[in-house]
Amino acid sequence: MASKDQKKVGGFFASIASSLSNIGTAMHNSVNGLVGYEGLEVINPEGGTEDAEEEASKGRWKQEDRDSYWRMMQKYIGSDVTSMVTLPVLIFEPMTMLQKMAELMEYSYLLDQADQCEDPYMRLVYTSSWAISVYYAYQRTWKPFNPILGETYELVNHNGVTFISEQVSHHPPMSAGHAENEHFAYDVTSKLKTKFLGNSLDVYPVGRTRVTLKRDGVVIDLVPPPTKVNNLIFGRTWVDSPGEMIMTNLNTGDKVVLYFQPCGWFGAGRYEVDGYVYNAAEEPKILMTGKWNEYMSYQPCDMEGEPISGTELKEVWRVADVPPNDKFQYTYFAHKINSLDTAPRKLLASDSRLRPDRYALEKGDLSKAGAEKSSLEERQRAEKRNREAKGHQFTPRWFDMSGEVTPTPWGDLEVYRYNGKYTEHRAAVDSSEGIDEVDVRSIEFNPWQYGNLATE
């Protein structure tokens, strides 16, 4: 477990990294060849020639693409680019933000264990490990598609979990999600705020995530750390999430505070997470340590935060096996939620799986993916004009605006509440034997509430 002094050193090296960028490439081979440092990873914060070549080999950027994109993007430096910039499809992955929200369900068994657990501090060990588990997916550097207003994603075939998400606002872009099984209910209102810094992007999660453990009605609130995407255009793109994750038991005041170490020069501290579960009096009860892309472990501790004699460090979560050499670094679960083969019966026509741009990219047709993306965006604009001409407002189908505004570290958030209608819809579909089975591939993507308007 890293000490506070170690954390300060890591931050110091991170802060002086830019002044060393000129020697980064020259040191690459010699440093990686050091005996006893097989796991060492050189991270050049400002990118380098070798990094650029590696990215180009993945099909992300050609040099001419980088140069033209850089000229276009310079005017946005310092701005929130969440919804104001049209991005080239070559930097996308074949998944939407709504599907990425569903990736939190991969290790939902940890929430089941939290619900069944008697120890209030272990409940926070399980729930915080669940919250950290999704960061393996967040390290992917491909960009997911922004959802179309009214777009949805549904998952009903994973360990008894039913999940629904919906794009509830276009400006600003906001999504809402709800998941539930016999042990827990998960509710999220998601709104991202960004700051474009040239070759990097700061992402602030202006959202609210709540987990309710059903047995005792325990409500746990999550505040995640911000994320930084480095070397967006020049160099090898990589993601870091330095800062604190805080999960609070709103019933008791107990909480867990986990510190995500910033990545230092040569990759020092990258992925490392450590912290404590505290009682309501802010006394440490359990220490936690691990790497957000591999595993998390825990051990009871004394009032000074030191491990209690006679106890041992136990692993609570480890990332599942992943496909070797997967182009988009998807887990088996990510492939599952992206597949039409696992779509539920009578899939909603607004489901992300049906997006023609996403599907074309999955099949490797970048030209068609780009054309389809442009067509969908123009249809969205045309629908907005039609709606405004009639004096109407968009109304989400599965979520309602609660009227509650909650503060977050990065701004206030209007909270959307699940209205229960999807549960009724899915129950009706599953209980009906009179519904004709339809080949899901024949369903046309249709999130539009005011007509499926053709491109003008």
Side-chain angles (χ1 to χ4, degrees), residues 20-30 42 44 47-51 265:
L20 299 174
S21 60
N22 291 333
I23 64 171
T25 300
M27 295 179 67
H28 186 283
N29 294 329
S30 60
V42 173
N44 185 345
T49 303
E50 292 183 1
D51 292 333
W265 193 253

Side-chain angles (χ1 to χ4, degrees), residues 164-447:
I164 179 70
S165 56
E166 181 177 13
Q167 189 72 358
V168 295
S169 173
H170 180 55
H171 289 295
M174 293 179 65
S175 310
H178 174 81
E180 192 166 356
N181 70 0
E182 63 179 321
H183 292 292
F184 71 88
Y186 156 83
D187 292 280
V188 60
T189 300
S190 177
K191 174 184 174 183
L192 296 180
K193 181 179 179 180
T194 64
K195 187 174 184 180
F196 179 62
L197 300 173
N199 201 30
S200 65
L201 182 73
D202 287 343
V203 182
Y204 306 99
V206 188
R208 191 181 80 170
T209 299
R210 295 274 173 89
V211 174
T212 302
L213 303 178
K214 291 186 173 181
R215 190 185 67 169
D216 296 329
V218 171
V219 180
I220 298 174
D221 179 79
L222 167 67
V223 178
T227 292
K228 190 177 189 69
V229 185
N230 300 277
N231 298 343
L232 275 174
I233 303 171
F234 300 101
R236 180 162 58 88
T237 307
W238 58 281
V239 178
D240 202 17
S241 296
E244 288 183 340
M245 170 186 285
I246 303 173
M247 294 194 79
T248 305
N249 183 329
L250 298 181
N251 300 57
T252 65
D254 302 334
K255 64 182 178 181
V256 54
V257 181
L258 297 175
Y259 180 77
F260 285 56
Q261 291 245 26
C263 177
W265 193 253
F266 303 144
R270 191 178 186 195
Y271 310 120
E272 293 181 10
V273 180
D274 57 86
Y276 293 94
V277 176
Y278 298 92
N279 63 16
E282 298 190 355
E283 299 166 334
K285 306 299 291 186
I286 299 176
L287 67 85
M288 296 185 65
T289 186
K291 292 187 175 183
W292 52 258
N293 68 330
E294 290 185 36
Y295 68 93
M296 286 300 295
S297 299
Y298 70 96
Q299 188 171 3
C301 66
D302 60 23
M303 296 284 287
E304 301 300 320
E306 297 298 324
I308 294 176
S309 178
T311 65
E312 60 182 15
L313 194 65
K314 294 183 178 179
E315 188 173 279
V316 64
W317 163 78
R318 179 169 290 274
V319 69
D321 291 338
V322 298
N325 303 317
D326 191 83
K327 178 178 180 180
F328 293 105
Q329 297 177 294
Y330 281 180
T331 64
Y332 289 106
F333 180 74
H335 281 290
K336 176 181 178 181
I337 67 174
N338 214 25
S339 173
L340 291 168
D341 295 333
T342 60
R345 188 181 182 207
K346 199 179 180 183
L347 180 69
L348 295 172
S350 51
D351 194 89
S352 298
R353 298 176 184 86
L354 301 173
R355 284 183 59 142
D357 51 357
R358 187 212 66 79
Y359 189 70
L361 182 60
E362 184 177 46
K363 297 302 180 183
D365 191 337
L366 267 67
S367 177
K368 183 176 182 181
E372 294 285 7
K373 177 175 175 288
S374 297
S375 175
L376 288 177
E377 290 169 348
E378 179 51 42
R379 290 185 185 187
Q380 181 168 233
R381 288 188 286 268
E383 186 196 43
K384 179 183 178 182
R385 291 193 294 269
N386 188 30
R387 184 170 63 250
E388 291 178 344
K390 295 179 180 180
H392 294 167
Q393 289 188 337
F394 173 81
T395 303
R397 184 176 179 184
W398 311 112
F399 297 85
D400 298 329
M401 187 179 290
S402 67
E404 178 183 0
V405 177
T406 187
T408 78
W410 304 283
D412 291 342
L413 176 76
E414 293 180 311
V415 177
Y416 282 79
R417 181 177 293 119
Y418 176 61
N419 59 27
K421 293 179 181 179
Y422 179 78
T423 301
E424 298 172 2
H425 161 79
R426 183 47 53 192
V429 169
D430 292 342
S431 63
S432 175
E433 297 180 356
I435 298 177
D436 295 332
E437 295 297 330
V438 177
D439 181 359
V440 67
R441 291 171 177 79
S442 68
I443 303 174
E444 181 182 1
F445 177 63
N446 184 8

